Amino acid sequence: MTQKILSGDQSMWRATVLTLFPGIFPGPLGISLAGRALAAGIWALEARDIRNAATDKHRSVDDTPAGGGPGMVLRADVLAAAIDAADATPDRPRLVMSPRGRPLTQSRIAELASGPGPLVICGRFEGIDQRVIEARGLEEVSIGDYVLSGGEIAAMALIDACVRLLPGVMGKLESGTEESFSAGLLEYPQYTRPQSFEGQPIPEILLSGDHARVAAWRRAEAEALTRNRRPDLWQTYANQKAPKNQTDG
Ligand code: SAM
């Protein structure tokens, strides 16, 4: 398969994906919030086939690992040629999805969403030749401490998280600012109708109409959840909240 231009022009936020499987895209990025925004021209997606940069008659993109070991490694020369052909604008972030990369955070997503949009490289096999990471200044990004078969699902997760922050994509401004991680906390529990579900009522305070009490309850719930589930986030939040030279448990 050759490259696919799915929507948009050069001026809008754009994700360019280098992959051996361009047919996977847009996949889930083509439906719901991200898909409607793609169709509306709020962002653009280009999935390019790394194999188009192969030069031998078999169009090979990988080879055995130097030093031995299982599997195959994406070749530096092929990937470098694919990057050079895809990206004429050096100010765009160049990311490579990798389990050994820096873990992706909401704050990095917000940075990426506020820029021109990244070039995202999807690894396969055992990964990619180290020399192309260094030669093309690639930033290794992980979506978690587990190993996927390829970078495409990781790239989709990253792009989806960026797209929902683009202006005009989410309906209400609040839906972005109150979410998990935005204020350093996990989100408070949500409820909706019916008022009673299998004998469990909605917490009374949420039906009180008292916005200040609702906000205080939500904040307390968010703090309790974060403290219990994510001590790492809680520590950072507590340190930021605490007056200087004082710690908060
Ligand atoms: N041999 C590699 C290692 O042990 O680190 C794993 C390679 S994995 C089978 C193939 C590709 O999937 C990687 O090159 C990367 O692009 C992608 N991938 C796998 N897990 C990932 C993760 N947690 N975050 C981001 N990308 C991941």
Side-chain angles (χ1 to χ4, degrees):
M1 185 172 299
T2 53
Q3 74 190 50
K4 301 199 303 185
I5 308 283
L6 294 164
S7 175
D9 61 41
Q10 295 291 335
S11 62
M12 66 182 63
W13 193 92
R14 157 177 298 264
T16 302
V17 181
L18 297 187
T19 169
L20 289 173
F21 301 99
I24 293 178
F25 291 87
L29 297 171
I31 61 163
S32 190
L33 206 66
R36 283 196 299 274
L38 186 61
I42 293 175
W43 69 290
L45 174 64
E46 182 185 14
R48 297 176 69 105
D49 193 341
I50 294 169
R51 205 172 289 280
N52 288 346
T55 51
D56 66 6
K57 69 174 186 225
H58 302 295
R59 302 183 74 217
S60 44
V61 293
D62 57 338
D63 213 326
T64 53
M72 303 294 274
V73 176
L74 270 169
R75 286 170 51 147
D77 55 345
V78 174
L79 198 47
I83 294 168
D84 296 346
D87 199 12
T89 47
D91 58 321
R92 291 177 81 193
R94 294 173 165 190
L95 315 178
V96 58
M97 306 316 298
S98 164
R100 63 173 205 204
R102 183 165 297 174
L104 195 54
T105 61
Q106 189 65 18
S107 60
R108 182 67 184 123
I109 289 290
E111 282 172 9
L112 291 169
S114 65
L119 178 81
V120 186
I121 297 156
C122 303
R124 279 272 158 182
F125 322 123
E126 291 309 313
I128 72 176
D129 189 306
Q130 180 64 27
R131 292 169 296 177
V132 74
I133 297 176
E134 289 157 20
R136 293 297 179 272
L138 305 182
E139 172 187 340
E140 293 183 81
V141 177
S142 167
I143 65 160
D145 291 345
Y146 42 82
V147 180
L148 302 165
S149 319
E152 289 77 11
I153 291 171
M156 285 179 187
L158 180 146
I159 294 166
D160 180 77
C162 289
V163 165
R164 57 200 300 286
L165 298 185
L166 299 177
V169 173
M170 275 195 279
K172 282 172 94 184
L173 198 60
E174 298 80 47
S175 44
T177 53
E178 289 203 1
E179 278 182 331
S180 293
F181 312 114
S182 297
L185 294 172
L186 303 180
E187 194 184 57
Y188 48 80
Q190 300 275 12
Y191 299 86
T192 186
R193 281 192 286 250
Q195 216 152 310
S196 176
F197 167 68
E198 296 185 350
Q200 292 292 320
I202 293 174
E204 174 277 327
I205 199 166
L206 297 178
L207 308 174
S208 68
D210 183 334
H211 298 304
R213 282 180 67 218
V214 168
W217 180 88
R218 284 177 166 168
R219 169 58 62 138
E221 290 287 317
E223 290 187 349
L225 269 174
T226 309
R227 192 169 50 239
N228 291 335
R229 292 187 185 172
R230 292 293 300 274
D232 55 328
L233 292 180
W234 177 252
Q235 197 55 56
T236 308
Y237 172 78
N239 288 344
Q240 279 165 2
K241 244 180 87 174
K244 291 251 178 302
N245 69 29
Q246 194 183 317
T247 49
D248 190 335

